[in-house]
């Protein structure tokens, strides 16, 4: 283990002891906010310190076995112990490195999923409907809740735009790499000549703010309009954030009050995402733009229906399981993207240390 990593782990171990003492003090619950923060810190520190202690114990066992190897009668047994111990030590070091990787503070949040039809007209709208079903089925597989916030139907089906809230622990950590342009190649149902068309949709995955209050929204910067949505009996709400020009509509709630509250949550998520990307230039460069333009040539993933294949261009992964993927079986894709991101983080950690 590198000395810099060992030193950091020793500091974390000392900090866990300190947090434990603070939590067990008589005054611990006097300030409940501080008490909750300490509990969260302990929960974060405990797994990595447990691994660190296991690493220390394993290293001590190897040292003992090496001493035993000097005895001819014990050498065979000692050599086996050393071999097994070193393999375990290597695994523990790998696990510790993963625990030390910087964590995205948004990973455990719910998300707002926004899908918009890009290039391709009616076919793009139809594909946006297919993508929404794919993500809804994936959410169902993970026992996450899906709430449609706003939708604008396409003329021949699907959606010109649909926004949904997905509620589930760790939803953002799994879905955040879905942001970008998704390209589809297939023969549209309306195509009489059987020619393959290429269309595109954009997907944006935004972490939900814990509370609208997490984002400073000056009431003077908001224009709130109510209007009667077509085929709806309840009033829809449109909120415009004047400084940024961000517009959010919500019409799927049962009441004007519910629609306004939901629209405020979406607006807060968009503003939060914008503020974070502006404040963290490095992260913004890594993620690039969240959605892009929806142009055919700009894509993160291609769904080629005639060949039954889905290709994620960022990690050069191609899967020949179109039906399963469109039915929400995208765990292999999301898992590979998460693993690639973790590998990049590990490489960066190795350079730093």
């Amino acid at each position: 283990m590198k000395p810099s990593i060992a030193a950091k782990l020793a500091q974390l171990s000392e900090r866990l002891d300190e947090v434990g003492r603070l939590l067990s003090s008589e005054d611990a619950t006097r300030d409940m906010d501080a008490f909750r923060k300490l509990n969260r810190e302990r929960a974060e520190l405990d797994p990595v310190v447990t691994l660190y202690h296991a690493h220390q114990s394993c290293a001590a066992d190897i040292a003992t076995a090496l001493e035993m190897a000097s005895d001819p009668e014990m050498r065979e047994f000692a050599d086996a112990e050393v071999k097994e111990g070193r393999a375990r030590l290597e695994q523990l070091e790998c696990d510790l490195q993963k625990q030390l990787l910087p964590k995205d503070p948004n990973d455990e949040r719910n998300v707002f999923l926004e899908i918009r039809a890009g290039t391709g007209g009616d076919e793009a709208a139809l594909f946006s409907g297919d993508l929404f079903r794919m993500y809804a089925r994936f959410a169902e597989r993970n026992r996450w809740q899906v709430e449609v916030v706003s939708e604008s139907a396409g003329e021949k089906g699907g959606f010109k735009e649909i926004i949904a809230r997905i509620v589930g622990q760790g939803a953002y950590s799994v879905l955040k790499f879905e942001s970008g342009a998704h390209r589809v190649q297939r023969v549209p149902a309306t195509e009489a000549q059987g020619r393959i068309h290429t269309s595109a949709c954009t997907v944006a995955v935004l972490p939900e703010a814990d509370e609208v209050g997490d984002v400073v929204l000056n009431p003077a910067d908001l224009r709130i309009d109510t209007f009667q949505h077509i085929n709806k009996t309840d009033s829809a709400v449109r909120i415009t954030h004047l400084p940024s020009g961000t517009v959010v509509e919500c019409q799927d709630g049962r009441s004007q009050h519910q629609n306004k509250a939901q629209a405020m949550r979406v607006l807060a998520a968009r503003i939060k995402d914008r503020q974070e990307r502006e404040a963290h230039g490095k992260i913004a460069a890594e993620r690039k733009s969240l959605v892009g333009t929806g142009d055919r040539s700009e894509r993160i993933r291609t769904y080629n229906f005639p060949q039954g294949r889905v290709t994620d261009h960022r990690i050069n992964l191609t899967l020949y399981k179109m039906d399963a993927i469109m039915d929400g079986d995208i765990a292999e894709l999301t898992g590979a993207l998460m693993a690639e991101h973790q590998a990049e983080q590990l490489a960066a950690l190795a350079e730093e240390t």
Side-chain angles (χ1 to χ4, degrees):
M1 181 184 293
K2 293 182 179 179
S4 56
I5 293 179
K8 184 172 185 177
L9 288 167
Q11 290 175 354
L12 293 177
S13 181
E14 291 175 5
R15 175 57 183 167
L16 181 60
D17 289 340
E18 182 183 3
V19 170
R21 288 193 297 271
L22 290 170
L23 285 170
S24 60
S25 69
E26 293 181 1
D27 299 331
T29 56
R30 184 169 294 177
D31 183 341
M32 288 306 297
D33 284 339
F35 182 72
R36 282 190 287 268
K37 286 180 181 177
L38 285 171
N39 267 310
R40 282 197 297 269
E41 186 177 1
R42 180 171 63 180
E44 291 173 0
L45 288 172
D46 192 61
V48 67
V49 172
T50 298
L51 279 173
Y52 173 53
H53 290 161
H55 184 278
Q56 288 180 308
S57 178
C58 185
D61 290 342
I62 292 172
T64 301
L66 286 170
E67 290 177 4
M68 290 169 56
S70 60
D71 184 344
E73 294 183 2
M74 299 293 292
R75 183 171 297 163
E76 186 177 346
F77 172 76
D79 287 347
E81 287 289 301
V82 169
K83 183 178 180 181
E84 183 181 330
R86 283 175 174 165
R88 183 163 182 263
L89 197 69
E90 185 177 341
Q91 183 59 53
L92 284 167
E93 286 191 9
C94 181
D95 293 342
L96 277 166
Q97 284 187 341
K98 290 178 181 178
Q99 285 286 342
L100 290 173
L101 292 177
K103 292 179 174 58
D104 188 331
N106 294 320
D107 272 353
E108 295 306 309
R109 294 179 185 269
N110 303 326
V111 304
F112 285 105
L113 171 71
E114 304 183 353
I115 304 174
R116 295 180 179 85
T119 307
D122 291 335
E123 172 62 9
L126 288 168
F127 186 56
S128 70
D130 294 337
L131 284 178
F132 175 69
R133 181 182 182 277
M134 179 183 79
Y135 289 121
R137 294 283 290 118
F138 180 64
E140 184 180 313
R141 289 167 184 261
N142 285 279
R143 297 183 180 180
W144 296 338
Q145 182 180 349
V146 179
E147 304 169 358
V148 174
V149 174
S150 176
E151 61 184 274
S152 175
E155 292 181 7
K156 296 185 178 179
F159 303 101
K160 295 177 182 177
E161 175 187 273
I162 183 165
I163 301 172
R165 177 173 178 250
I166 298 180
V167 180
Q169 186 173 3
Y172 185 71
S173 69
V174 178
L175 292 173
K176 62 184 175 182
F177 301 110
E178 293 301 299
S179 293
H182 294 239
R183 184 176 67 172
V184 60
Q185 295 172 323
R186 64 184 179 187
V187 179
T190 55
E191 170 57 59
Q193 303 296 322
R195 292 173 298 186
I196 296 173
H197 286 223
T198 299
S199 305
C201 295
T202 60
V203 173
V205 178
L206 309 175
E208 181 184 36
D210 281 340
E211 298 290 343
V212 172
D214 286 355
V215 179
V216 179
L217 293 174
N218 186 341
D221 292 338
L222 304 177
R223 186 177 73 233
I224 301 176
D225 301 307
T226 58
F227 59 98
Q228 205 71 26
H229 182 61
I230 187 168
N231 297 330
K232 300 277 184 179
T233 57
D234 300 309
S235 294
V237 174
R238 180 188 297 115
I239 301 178
T240 304
H241 184 246
L242 299 174
S244 66
T246 304
V247 180
V248 176
E249 290 184 6
C250 184
Q251 75 273 2
D252 276 44
R254 296 180 180 177
S255 67
Q256 185 181 117
H257 175 76
Q258 192 178 48
N259 282 327
K260 181 180 176 182
Q262 189 74 289
M264 285 294 287
R265 283 198 289 268
V266 176
L267 179 63
R270 289 189 187 175
I271 299 300
K272 172 184 169 67
D273 178 72
R274 178 173 177 169
Q275 289 174 347
E276 288 185 348
R277 285 188 289 129
E278 289 176 351
H280 304 287
K282 184 178 179 181
I283 295 175
E286 178 186 317
R287 291 171 66 190
K288 297 182 180 177
S289 61
L290 194 58
V291 248
T293 61
D295 186 81
R296 288 189 184 94
S297 61
E298 183 185 274
R299 77 277 190 249
I300 62 167
R301 191 176 295 154
T302 295
Y303 304 74
N304 186 303
F305 278 74
Q307 296 180 18
R309 63 175 169 84
V310 176
T311 300
D312 196 290
H313 304 285
R314 295 163 295 179
I315 54 176
N316 295 319
L317 174 65
T318 296
L319 300 175
Y320 289 88
K321 44 188 288 187
M322 179 68 74
D323 290 345
I325 286 172
M326 297 314 296
D327 193 44
D329 183 10
I330 61 171
E332 191 171 352
L333 285 165
T334 58
L337 288 162
M338 292 168 71
E340 178 69 16
H341 179 62
Q342 189 175 76
E344 291 173 357
Q345 286 183 304
L346 285 169
L349 180 65
E351 289 178 6
E352 290 174 7
T353 56

